[in-house]
């Protein structure tokens, strides 16, 4: 019974820049989050994960950290962070913060020092500096491409090159250096002491590298983008998933477990599939890892069914709680991934309802509860370093939330002076007037009320808790599974059957009472692009 909270939690991901702006400068901030925590508690989530709010030049919107133990002035102060954590705890919300160990910002004092120091010096050894190849060292040390596009190495004035798997402003740390290891122990301790309940570890599969050329089959482009690589079947990944990372996570887990309460860490680790992910969630390592296979599955019953099966099979032996995620700040919103217009919204809600019936924990991304679509921003608004390289940016899922009102900024920014309306850092589409929290609040068939109802029902049936999922035979295009013996007390236990119709025609439903549906109330067969939860007679 008494499981640690994270095993079944629904966590809500906050992208602080775009959540709520308390001081009218067009950028979201910590006070804005604190002001809206009651909204999140009422939505029915158990935890929040806040993307980086630390001191940073904001070249990758905070994933380029210059001081891990302070708050960037655009987001507020350390006192604001303390206040946020305290208020969240008052509302029984757990707080997960982001930790970025693979790289720092080039503005981090360590990198400033390293650049100015001699080749071979201790300051350089905190990063990955190497001489180049070729007669005059004019060729980079390996053929790697950065995830954001372009070479993964940049040459500095004295001729040495440094490695950056992401932007050139995000130099990779050298995790063989004990000083780096020690520094992160201090950083974890700093935030644990401040009361955070967990860490989301950025690029957890990246810390150690095997410095040699990547080999890709003829005809395929070199890339360090793990998601793309695995999708294309490229298996040689000397920059990712090297086994050295696990020793680090074992030490972190010990540290985290030595604090009171159930603290946790969740890995952002891109691996070819659930089987490889399993290494990260061994009993003495991460408590969880994001299950990106679920997010990457297309709108297909076969794909969804396979991911459910392979996830549970892979994680079973390690007893790690599975996780489920459909959207985050790096990918096209699932509301826009499954097609166009209203059909895509129906599909997104159906996928969400299916996800919320699966055991383990689920991660929601801010705005999905409003059914926000991806926004296609004109190039002049694109800020993401990924877009500069022509790979298409991630700004479209990061447009500030619409809270209320009839025109931008839709309550996102508190405007202190009516004569000086503030525009949010990215423009919000005028059509979002119908998608604001205020517009959907109390409206029976709105996406917001659907999320509230689904989260409440998930809690009532304790669907996160039990690991038992029985995949059922279903017609082509249909996903169906049974959750045996779910629900509160022993005498109210019941079986729940979940049916998701990704097919082309309506599908008959098993007998039982429909307790949740993703779209219109269901009478008779389940229409396409819809999902239901049904209380079914128990099987002996
Ligand atoms: C992770 C983050 C992403 C960031 C990258 C580099 O993938 O989710 O937003 O750009 O790491 O830190
Ligand atoms: Ca602000």
């Amino acid at each position: 019974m008494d499981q640690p909270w994270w095993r079944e939690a629904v966590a809500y991901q906050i992208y602080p820049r775009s959540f709520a702006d308390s001081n009218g400068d067009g950028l979201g901030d910590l006070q804005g989050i604190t002001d809206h925590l009651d909204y999140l508690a009422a939505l029915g989530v158990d935890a929040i994960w806040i993307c980086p709010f630390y001191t940073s030049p904001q070249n990758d919107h905070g994933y380029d950290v210059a001081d891990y133990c302070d708050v960037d002035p655009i987001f507020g102060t350390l006192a604001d962070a303390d206040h946020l954590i305290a208020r969240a705890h008052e509302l029984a919300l757990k707080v997960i913060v982001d930790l970025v160990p693979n790289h720092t910002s080039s503005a981090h004092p360590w990198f400033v020092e390293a650049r100015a120091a001699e080749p071979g010096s201790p300051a350089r050894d905190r990063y990955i500096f190497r001489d180049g190849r070729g007669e005059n060292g004019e060729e980079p040390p390996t053929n790697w491409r950065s995830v954001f596009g372009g070479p993964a190495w940049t040459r500095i004035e004295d001729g040495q090159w440094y490695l950056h798997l992401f932007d050139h402003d995000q130099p990779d740390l050298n995790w063989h250096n004990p000083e780096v290891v020690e520094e992160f122990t201090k950083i974890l301790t700093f935030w644990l002491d401040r009361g955070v309940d967990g860490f989301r570890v950025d690029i957890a599969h990246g810390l150690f590298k095997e410095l040699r050329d990547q080999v890709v089959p003829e005809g395929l482009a070199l890339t360090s983008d793990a998601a793309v690589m695995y999708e294309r079947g490229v298996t040689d990944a000397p920059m990712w998933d090297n086994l050295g990372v696990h020793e680090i996570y074992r030490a972190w887990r010990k540290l985290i477990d030595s604090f009171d309460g159930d603290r946790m860490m969740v890995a952002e680790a891109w691996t070819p599939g659930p089987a490889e992910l399993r290494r990260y969630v061994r009993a003495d390592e991460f408590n969880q890892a994001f299950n990106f296979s679920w997010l990457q599955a297309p709108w297909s019953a076969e794909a969804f069914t396979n991911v459910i099966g392979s996830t549970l099979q892979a994680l079973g032996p390690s007893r790690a709680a599975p996780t489920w995620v459909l959207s985050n700040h790096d990918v096209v919103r699932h509301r826009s991934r499954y097609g166009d217009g209203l059909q895509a919204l129906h599909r997104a809600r159906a996928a969400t309802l299916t996800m919320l019936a699966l055991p383990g924990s689920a991660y929601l991304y801010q705005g999905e509860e409003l059914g926000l679509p991806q926004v296609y921003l004109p190039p002049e608004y694109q800020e993401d370093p990924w877009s500069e390289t022509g790979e298409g940016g991630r700004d479209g899922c990061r447009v500030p939330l619409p809270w209320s009102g009839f025109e931008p900024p839709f309550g996102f920014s508190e405007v202190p002076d009516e004569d000086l309306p503030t525009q949010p850092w990215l423009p919000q589409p005028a059509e979002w007037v119908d998608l604001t929290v205020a517009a959907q609040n109390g409206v029976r068939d709105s996406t917001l009320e659907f999320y509230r109802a689904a989260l409440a029902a998930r809690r009532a049936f304790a669907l996160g808790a039990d690991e038992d999922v029985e995949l059922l035979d279903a017609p082509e295009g249909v996903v169906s599974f049974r959750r045996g013996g779910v629900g509160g007390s022993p005498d109210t236990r019941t079986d729940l059957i979940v049916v998701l119709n990704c097919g082309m025609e309506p599908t008959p439903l098993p007998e039982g009472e429909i307790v949740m549906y993703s779209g219109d109330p269901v009478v008779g067969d389940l229409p396409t692009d819809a999902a239901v939860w049904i209380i079914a007679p128990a099987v002996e």
Side-chain angles (χ1 to χ4, degrees):
M1 278 261 82
D2 252 354
Q3 304 209 71
W5 62 273
W6 46 264
R7 286 192 79 92
E8 53 189 293
V10 176
Y12 182 100
Q13 179 191 354
I14 296 179
Y15 197 67
R17 209 179 168 83
S18 303
F19 186 71
D21 167 24
S22 71
N23 63 351
D25 65 355
L27 297 166
D29 43 55
L30 296 185
Q31 184 59 47
I33 299 175
T34 307
D35 292 344
H36 290 84
L37 286 175
D38 47 353
Y39 163 78
L40 296 178
L43 179 62
V45 300
D46 308 290
I48 54 173
W49 149 33
I50 316 173
C51 288
F53 49 81
Y54 318 110
T55 313
S56 158
Q58 300 290 313
N59 287 322
D60 189 15
H61 295 339
Y63 284 96
D64 47 328
V65 183
D67 183 348
Y68 289 82
C69 297
D70 206 352
V71 173
D72 195 277
I74 64 169
F75 295 125
T77 61
L78 272 176
D80 292 330
D82 291 342
H83 186 202
L84 190 167
I85 296 167
R87 178 69 189 136
H89 287 164
E90 264 169 37
L91 292 166
L93 292 169
K94 302 287 184 184
V95 179
I96 301 171
V97 296
D98 223 302
L99 186 75
V100 189
N102 181 66
H103 45 265
T104 69
S105 161
S106 55
H108 191 286
W110 272 5
F111 193 74
V112 175
E113 193 190 336
R115 271 196 101 119
E118 297 285 308
S121 60
R124 286 232 168 143
D125 189 56
R126 295 184 188 122
Y127 292 89
I128 304 177
F129 279 89
R130 291 290 183 279
D131 293 329
R133 296 188 290 193
E135 223 166 287
N136 302 306
E138 69 284 4
E139 297 286 329
T142 69
N143 65 353
W144 300 0
R145 309 291 293 172
S146 118
V147 174
F148 292 162
W153 295 91
T154 291
R155 197 173 196 194
I156 62 167
E157 304 73 39
D158 64 22
Q160 275 213 313
W161 299 74
Y162 68 88
L163 178 70
H164 52 89
L165 288 178
F166 293 87
D167 196 54
H168 61 90
D169 285 326
Q170 293 165 298
D172 282 46
L173 285 165
N174 170 18
W175 275 88
H176 291 287
N177 183 321
E179 241 189 297
V180 171
V181 177
E182 206 178 296
E183 182 67 14
F184 273 82
T185 309
K186 285 190 203 148
I187 294 164
L188 283 158
T189 307
F190 178 86
W191 288 103
L192 288 164
D193 279 338
R194 293 197 108 82
V196 304
D197 303 286
F199 298 92
R200 175 267 187 188
V201 178
D202 190 64
I203 308 294
H205 56 315
L207 273 41
F208 287 86
K209 288 87 181 169
E210 195 187 337
L211 289 182
R212 59 160 177 84
D213 278 346
Q214 183 189 21
V215 184
V216 302
E218 212 167 310
L220 282 185
L222 288 165
T223 176
S224 293
D225 184 332
V228 171
M229 204 149 77
Y230 300 137
E231 189 186 292
R232 294 186 188 153
V234 174
T235 49
D236 187 42
M239 65 293 282
W240 299 130
D241 206 15
N242 285 291
L243 296 177
V245 299
H246 299 288
E247 192 193 323
I248 301 293
Y249 301 138
R250 285 196 193 103
W252 288 5
R253 177 65 180 272
K254 272 205 192 110
L255 176 70
I256 285 173
D257 284 351
S258 74
F259 279 75
D260 60 346
D262 284 325
R263 319 266 186 135
M264 55 81 83
M265 51 180 196
V266 51
E268 184 212 22
W270 292 86
T271 63
E276 293 78 10
L277 201 55
R278 181 158 111 195
R279 280 203 294 270
Y280 289 79
V281 291
R282 285 178 291 201
D284 56 350
E285 296 192 38
F286 278 97
N287 305 80
Q288 294 183 331
F290 292 122
N291 179 9
F292 292 121
S293 308
W294 180 246
L295 171 157
Q296 287 171 304
W299 180 254
S300 139
E302 203 192 344
F304 286 132
T305 306
N306 284 342
V307 175
I308 295 172
S310 59
T311 300
L312 298 174
Q313 196 196 8
L315 294 184
S318 59
R319 302 294 300 162
T323 64
W324 309 94
V325 56
L326 286 167
S327 281
N328 65 33
H329 66 296
D330 289 330
V331 299
V332 173
R333 285 183 176 276
H334 71 287
R335 159 71 171 81
S336 298
R337 275 205 313 269
Y338 300 137
D340 296 319
L342 273 186
Q343 183 189 46
L345 177 62
H346 295 155
R347 290 179 170 183
R349 283 168 55 155
T352 298
L353 192 63
T354 308
M355 168 171 91
L356 291 177
L358 288 164
S361 83
Y363 284 80
L364 309 179
Y365 175 52
Q366 69 180 36
E368 70 170 82
E369 80 279 18
L370 304 176
L372 295 188
Q374 188 80 359
V375 178
Y376 293 93
L377 293 155
E380 65 268 28
Y381 286 113
Q382 292 180 4
E383 298 215 356
D384 184 9
W386 212 326
S387 60
E388 280 167 28
T389 57
E391 304 263 325
R394 298 165 293 178
D395 296 304
C397 63
R398 300 173 176 180
V399 173
L401 287 193
W403 290 95
S404 59
F406 302 100
E407 57 194 32
F410 293 123
F412 168 73
S413 288
E414 299 279 330
V415 185
D417 181 340
E418 279 187 22
D419 299 332
L420 292 170
T422 315
Q423 284 310 309
W425 69 280
L426 287 175
Q428 301 154 308
E431 310 84 76
W432 282 15
V433 65
D434 298 325
L435 297 178
T436 65
V437 172
Q440 299 194 42
N441 202 12
V443 177
R444 215 171 149 251
D445 59 358
S446 70
T447 302
L448 178 58
E449 293 300 341
F450 158 72
Y451 267 76
R452 285 177 177 155
L455 290 168
R458 173 185 156 97
R459 195 181 292 240
F461 288 108
L463 289 177
D466 198 339
E467 293 199 7
D468 185 26
V469 173
E470 184 193 346
L471 286 166
L472 303 174
D473 284 338
E476 207 186 314
V478 177
V479 181
S480 180
F481 57 88
R482 178 194 298 272
R483 299 293 316 276
V486 292
S489 59
D491 35 305
T492 57
R493 267 183 215 288
T494 172
D495 277 16
L496 203 77
I497 291 185
V498 177
V499 187
L500 162 69
N501 189 356
C502 307
M504 304 297 280
E505 41 200 79
T507 189
L509 288 174
E511 249 175 76
E513 183 200 346
I514 297 179
V515 284
M516 266 308 301
Y517 43 83
S518 61
D520 294 328
V522 175
V523 189
D525 291 352
L526 179 66
T528 58
D529 304 327
V532 283
W533 295 356
I534 298 174
I535 293 185
V539 276
E540 291 307 308

